[in-house]
Every structure is written in structure tokens, then in C-alpha cells.
Amino acid sequence: MKRKIIEIDEKLCNGCGNCIPNCPEGAIRMIDGKARLVSDLFCDGLGACLGECPQGAITMTEREAAPYDERLVMERIAAQGANTVRAHLHHLRSHGEQELHRIAVEYLREKGIPVPEEAAEETLGRGCPGTLAKALTPRKPAAAVPPEETPSALWQWPVQLRLLNPEAPYFDGADLLVSADCVPCAMGGFHRELLDGKILVIFCPKLDEDTEEYVSKLAEIFRRHDIRSVTVARMTVPCCGGTVAIVEKALESAGRRIPLDVRIIDLNGEPVREARRTPGQP
């Protein structure tokens, strides 16, 4: 089938790794000092990684791709060396692609290519980090606090990006919080630590179908209003990386350079990383 897919120019790539956390499906890995697409299968063609490359080494192309023919994928992967083979097999295992993993190992054995030891030992079916079922143990039970002592910090309604009106006056001079919709569920102090004093925009970069509509609506908000700052809150799972990419694409489309804070939250609701940057700067 012919479809859109990313292409990485190895000569231009300087190995900075900026694209890695912004590949929603984890299809790009840093191998031997270069960013590499380890599997066509998991590149969704949305290009969340495009704006992260300061060298312009990543482009979108339309070509014949065989996303479900693992033997064709392995033919290309095997030619890139042992480290790329190992990364690809791990990629299949982490997404629970047991049958594709079996075909890949079978291909290696047929061609007399060594099979990484961990490929046979590691348990399959772990699933994509974003959909992996996992029981969490809260650090302590939620305290029974009177409602008046835990006020909501929400300033406006609605909050879902699809429902927001770009002309709404509450965007004037606002500090914007753009959050993946799982963050408030995971983070107990969401209202106090992130939302207080900000206008909220929520969406899901993984499940929502038309992310271009989101880019367009956010760009319209940025164009129409004097937004003072933008904070993006996303979960640590790879599929949530699209949240940042959508915001940065919208800022670029609107021609705005607004201070941008990125907060990454783990599954226990704890912040694991923060980054402050201005779009257009590495």
C-alpha cells in the first residue's frame, strides 16, 4: 500500500535525539549515533517528530510501505546491522506483536543471521506503554477533605479543544494550560500545581481522529489573542508525545513565539521532567 511515512536522512542527522520523545508510537530509536526508523509498522505518518529536528533530517514522504508484511520489513532492518535488529525485535515485543516477532525471528534464522538472546528470553505481549494494563498503588489513600478546602481552579467551560470557541474572551491575556486528558486523572495535585491561574485546553493525541483540526483551532486561538505563556502537560507514555507536537505546530502556523513549558507526568502522577523553550529555538 502507498501511504505517508517519515524518512530520515542519515547524512543530515547529528544524533541529537530531539525526535525520540516526540515519536508517538516509539518507531524512532537512536542507534549507533543516528536516529533510525526501526519499523514502518508503527510509523503512523502524522509527523509528530518533524518539528523536533534542528537539522531538517526528518521529512514526510509518500511511498510504498508494507506495514503488515514483517518479512519485507525485516529485509530492510537486517541490512542495518545487529543493533537495529535488536531494537526492532524489542519494539515488536513492547507492542505485544507476538506473531510479527515470530516471523521476524524466523526470517533471521532462515538467513543465518544471529538472533539476539533476549529475543527468545523476554516475555511477549507486554503491550504498548500507552495501553498496557497496570495496577497502580497510591502512595497513600486520598484524604477526606471538606469540599470548601479543595476548591476547583477551573476558570472556564468547556475545556475540550473540540468544543472550545477560539473567539472566547477568556483567552485574552491568558496563560494557557494544554493538557493530555489523562493527566488530571493521574495527578492528584493537578488543580493546585498546574491549573491554578490558567485557561485549560484538553485533548487526546492518541485517540482523537482529526489532530489537524486541533492544530488549526489552537493556531486560531494564538492568532486572535495575546497568549502570555503556554504550559503543555503530557503523560510519560510515548503516544502522549503528540500533545507537544500539536501545540508547536499550531504556534508555527500562527507565527507566534510564546514561552512554552513542557511537564511530563508519570503513571503515579509524579512530574518526571520539565523543559522550557521557545518555539523556533533548539
Side-chain angles (χ1 to χ4, degrees):
M1 62 181 292
K2 199 169 188 177
R3 65 184 182 91
K4 290 183 177 180
I5 195 165
I6 67 162
E7 187 173 87
I8 303 174
D9 188 327
E10 184 173 329
K11 293 180 181 177
L12 291 178
C13 176
N14 66 358
C16 70
N18 287 359
C19 57
I20 303 298
N22 287 281
C23 175
E25 302 299 341
I28 302 177
R29 298 287 178 86
M30 190 62 60
I31 300 170
D32 297 333
K34 297 284 185 178
R36 299 185 188 275
L37 176 64
V38 295
S39 176
D40 285 358
L41 180 63
F42 297 110
C43 176
D44 55 18
L46 295 178
C49 55
L50 294 180
E52 297 301 319
C53 181
Q55 304 299 314
I58 305 177
T59 56
M60 187 68 69
T61 186
E62 188 168 337
R63 63 172 170 84
E64 290 292 334
Y68 300 110
D69 191 331
E70 182 60 25
R71 293 185 67 84
L72 289 180
V73 172
M74 277 305 299
E75 184 177 345
R76 184 172 56 258
I77 291 297
Q80 298 180 41
N83 287 335
T84 305
V85 168
R86 184 175 289 105
H88 176 66
L89 292 176
H90 176 74
H91 192 64
L92 293 178
R93 293 195 299 276
S94 67
H95 281 78
E97 295 291 344
Q98 296 162 294
E99 179 61 15
L100 294 178
H101 183 274
R102 183 192 66 76
I103 294 171
V105 171
E106 182 180 87
Y107 175 91
L108 293 174
R109 287 173 176 159
E110 286 179 6
K111 301 297 181 180
I113 301 172
V115 178
E117 184 177 347
E118 64 270 22
E121 295 178 351
E122 206 167 311
T123 303
L124 301 179
R126 295 184 178 182
C128 169
T131 59
L132 178 63
K134 181 178 180 179
L136 303 176
T137 303
R139 293 181 302 281
K140 59 181 179 179
V145 181
E148 62 272 15
E149 295 185 21
T150 56
S152 170
L154 187 64
W155 285 59
Q156 100 286 350
W157 188 263
V159 296
Q160 287 285 346
L161 180 53
R162 195 178 297 277
L163 303 177
L164 286 169
N165 182 352
E167 298 181 9
Y170 48 70
F171 287 119
D172 291 334
D175 293 301
L176 212 61
L177 173 62
V178 181
S179 174
D181 56 12
C182 290
V183 174
C185 299
M187 188 176 183
F190 178 80
H191 282 250
R192 181 182 66 256
E193 297 174 38
L194 286 182
L195 181 57
D196 192 22
K198 298 182 179 68
I199 295 299
L200 179 62
V201 176
I202 279 185
F203 64 88
C204 177
K206 174 74 171 179
L207 299 181
D208 296 343
E209 294 181 357
D210 191 356
T211 55
E212 284 303 315
E213 176 189 341
Y214 287 168
V215 171
S216 177
K217 181 170 279 192
L218 279 172
E220 189 66 16
I221 291 172
F222 294 142
R223 276 191 292 265
R224 288 177 175 270
H225 303 276
D226 180 24
I227 303 297
R228 294 189 300 181
S229 69
V230 180
T231 300
V232 178
R234 53 157 291 195
M235 298 298 293
T236 190
V237 294
C239 56
C240 211
T243 313
V244 181
I246 288 170
V247 172
E248 292 188 325
K249 193 172 180 181
L251 287 167
E252 180 182 359
S253 176
R256 294 287 192 264
R257 291 169 59 84
I258 300 173
L260 178 63
D261 279 326
V262 179
R263 308 291 181 89
I264 302 179
I265 310 300
D266 69 16
L267 299 186
N268 288 311
E270 294 291 333
V272 295
R273 190 163 77 246
E274 298 181 11
R276 185 174 181 83
R277 59 191 183 211
T278 299
Q281 294 180 342

